[in-house]
Amino acid sequence: MEVTVLGAGSWGTALGRTLGGKGFGVRMWDIDAPLLAAMTAQHENARYLPGIALPPTLRGEPDLTAALDGADLVVLAVPSHAMRRVCAQIAGQLHEGMLLCSVTKGIEIDTLMTMSEVVEDVLPASLHPRLAVLSGPSFAVEVAQEQPTAVTVAARESVVAEAVQRAFHTAYLRPYVTDDVVGVEIGGCAKNVIAIATGAADGLGYDNNTRAATITRGLAEITRLAVARGANPLTLSGLAGVGDLVLTCSSTRSRNYRVGFGLGRRRRLEDIQAELGQVAEGVLNARSVRDLAHRLGVDMPITELVYGLLYEGITIEDIAAFYANRPLRSESEDHHRR
Ligand SMILES: NC(=O)c1ccc[n+]([C@@H]2O[C@H](COP(=O)([O-])OP(=O)(O)OC[C@H]3O[C@@H](n4cnc5c(N)ncnc54)[C@H](O)[C@@H]3O)[C@@H](O)[C@H]2O)c1
C-alpha cells in the first residue's frame, strides 16, 4: 500500500511511522519543508517526536502533487483550521480508488462543521463514500512508543471503515469500526473543553471526587450535543467518547488539561500558552462547541463555564460557585436547553 500523510506534526508522524512500520511506502507532506527534509535525512521528527526512530519506508515530500501521486490511502492530519485550505489544494488530485482518512479533531469556527463535513464540503461528492475518520484515546507519543492503544474508525460505508481498520491495525494499534461518523467526531472535539474544566478544578485544589464528577457530567453534555447532531448515544460510551474524555482529562500530557490547570492556579491564559509553545485546541474548541450547542439548543453548562473563563472574563472563583449553585435535576434529563 502507498500512503500519503498530510501534516507532519505529532499525530501525522506517529501514524505515518505505524504505517511505514508495516512496510507501506509513506510520504509525509507539510507546509514546513525543512521539517520534511530533516525527517527524510535523519529518520526522526526531532520537533514533534524527538528520539523516536522513523522507518526507512517513510520520507518527507514537500511537493504536494508528488506526495499524492499513486497514493492508495491519504491521511489528513493537518490542524483543524487548515483542513479546508488543504482539501481545496488536493481536490483535483484525488480519485475514487483512494481511501481518505481524517485523523484531525475539531469543529470549524465559522461554519460549525465537523472535519469530515469540511472535507465533504470541499471535495467532489464521488469521493465522499471513500472518507473515514479515526479518533479515540491516543496520545501520539504513546502510539509511537508502540504502547497498546485502541481507536475507532468511522465511515458511512462499512467496506471503507474496514479497509482503513486493516491498514492501521498492528500488534499495538487496534482500530474498531463504526458507522457513526458524527458521534465519533463530536466526542473527539468536545472532550478538549471538558479537559480544561477538569484541569481548572485540579488547579484549584480539588481532588478525585470533583474530577470524576466533571468527567461524568462532561460526558452527559457531550452526549446531548452529539445526539442533537444525530449520533447514537452509545458511541459516546465508546473509545471516541468516554475513552478519549478520560485520557484527556486525567493526564498532564494533555495540553488542554494543562491550560485548565494553569487557569485553576490563577495564571494568565497568555502566559500558559506561551509556556506550552502551541495553541491548546480546547481553547478554540470551547468557542465552536459552545456556538454549536447554542445553535442546536443544547444545554452544556461545563462548556459554557470554560467559554466564560477563556473569553468572557469570569473568574476561577466562579468555578467553585458553579459546583455550589447548579440547580438540582435528574441524572438523565432530556437533551435540550432549559
Ligand atoms: N498529538 C496527539 O497526540 C494527537 C492524537 C490524536 C489526534 N490528534 C489530532 O491530530 C491533529 C493534528 O494534531 P498534532 O498534535 O499532530 O498537531 P501538531 O501541532 O503536532 O502539528 C501540526 C502540523 O501541521 C502542520 N501544518 C500547519 N498548518 C498547515 C497547513 N496549512 N498545511 C499543512 N500542514 C500544516 C504544522 O507544520 C505541523 O507540522 C489535531 O486535530 C489533533 O487533535 C493529535
Side-chain angles (χ1 to χ4, degrees):
M1 184 176 249
E2 284 298 315
V3 182
T4 304
V5 180
L6 307 177
S10 326
W11 194 216
T13 304
L15 291 173
R17 181 188 176 281
T18 295
L19 295 162
K22 295 182 71 172
F24 301 157
V26 177
R27 279 163 286 170
M28 308 280 314
W29 173 86
D30 197 282
I31 43 164
D32 188 343
L35 175 74
L36 298 174
M39 285 171 75
T40 307
Q42 292 152 17
H43 301 295
E44 183 191 1
N45 183 336
R47 168 135 193 233
Y48 292 106
L49 286 178
I52 289 173
L54 301 176
T57 42
L58 180 151
R59 65 181 171 88
E61 175 50 75
D63 182 292
L64 188 52
T65 305
L68 288 165
D69 187 38
D72 303 301
L73 168 63
V74 179
V75 178
L76 300 157
V78 294
S80 56
H81 63 82
M83 184 63 91
R84 182 174 291 277
R85 197 173 339 129
V86 169
C87 285
Q89 281 176 269
I90 64 174
Q93 296 172 69
L94 305 179
H95 59 78
E96 291 153 42
M98 292 172 165
L99 291 165
L100 308 173
C101 183
S102 162
V103 301
T104 299
K105 297 168 179 173
I107 292 173
E108 196 176 43
I109 294 277
D110 298 334
T111 64
L112 305 184
M113 289 176 174
T114 64
M115 287 300 105
S116 72
E117 290 167 341
V118 171
V119 175
E120 292 188 348
D121 200 33
V122 181
L123 299 186
S126 59
L127 291 167
H128 298 182
R130 306 296 294 166
L131 178 64
V133 306
L134 183 150
S135 190
S138 47
F139 285 129
V141 67
E142 295 182 16
V143 170
Q145 291 166 344
E146 305 192 1
Q147 299 193 35
T149 302
V151 293
T152 301
V153 170
R156 281 199 295 269
E157 304 280 335
S158 62
V159 286
V160 169
E162 284 160 14
V164 173
Q165 177 187 41
R166 280 193 300 278
F168 282 102
H169 180 215
T170 67
Y172 60 88
L173 184 60
R174 183 173 172 78
Y176 289 78
V177 289
T178 175
D179 62 1
D180 188 2
V181 178
V182 78
V184 164
E185 291 197 295
I186 296 286
C189 174
K191 52 99 194 187
N192 287 334
V193 187
I194 307 302
I196 294 178
T198 311
D202 285 2
L204 264 173
Y206 297 141
D207 282 326
N208 302 298
N209 293 356
T210 315
R211 186 179 323 120
T214 308
I215 290 174
T216 311
R217 294 311 299 164
L219 180 64
E221 68 182 57
I222 292 172
T223 304
R224 284 199 290 272
L225 182 69
V227 167
R229 280 293 332 265
N232 178 346
L234 285 177
T235 303
L236 285 304
S237 306
L239 292 162
V242 72
D244 209 0
L245 185 64
V246 168
L247 179 90
T248 315
C249 290
S250 53
S251 172
T252 50
R253 207 157 244 171
S254 159
R255 290 173 214 161
N256 300 301
Y257 174 91
R258 274 149 62 194
V259 164
F261 191 85
L263 293 172
R265 287 287 159 96
R266 298 178 174 76
R267 296 184 60 205
R268 284 167 6 111
L269 178 61
E270 301 74 38
D271 297 339
I272 304 165
Q273 302 232 88
E275 193 176 280
L276 284 177
Q278 292 152 315
V279 174
E281 285 175 313
V283 174
L284 303 173
N285 299 152
R287 183 182 289 279
S288 54
V289 171
R290 179 241 191 205
D291 287 355
L292 185 60
H294 280 212
R295 180 190 282 180
L296 296 172
V298 175
D299 188 21
M300 297 193 76
I302 302 174
T303 300
E304 207 68 57
L305 191 72
V306 171
Y307 179 86
L309 200 55
L310 295 171
Y311 296 110
E312 288 184 325
I314 73 162
T315 66
I316 196 68
E317 279 66 32
D318 293 318
I319 298 256
F322 170 84
Y323 286 108
N325 298 332
R326 288 287 296 153
L328 294 175
R329 49 176 56 179
S330 153
E331 193 170 12
S332 54
E333 286 199 34
D334 73 44
H335 301 305
H336 292 285
R337 178 175 285 275
R338 53 182 63 218

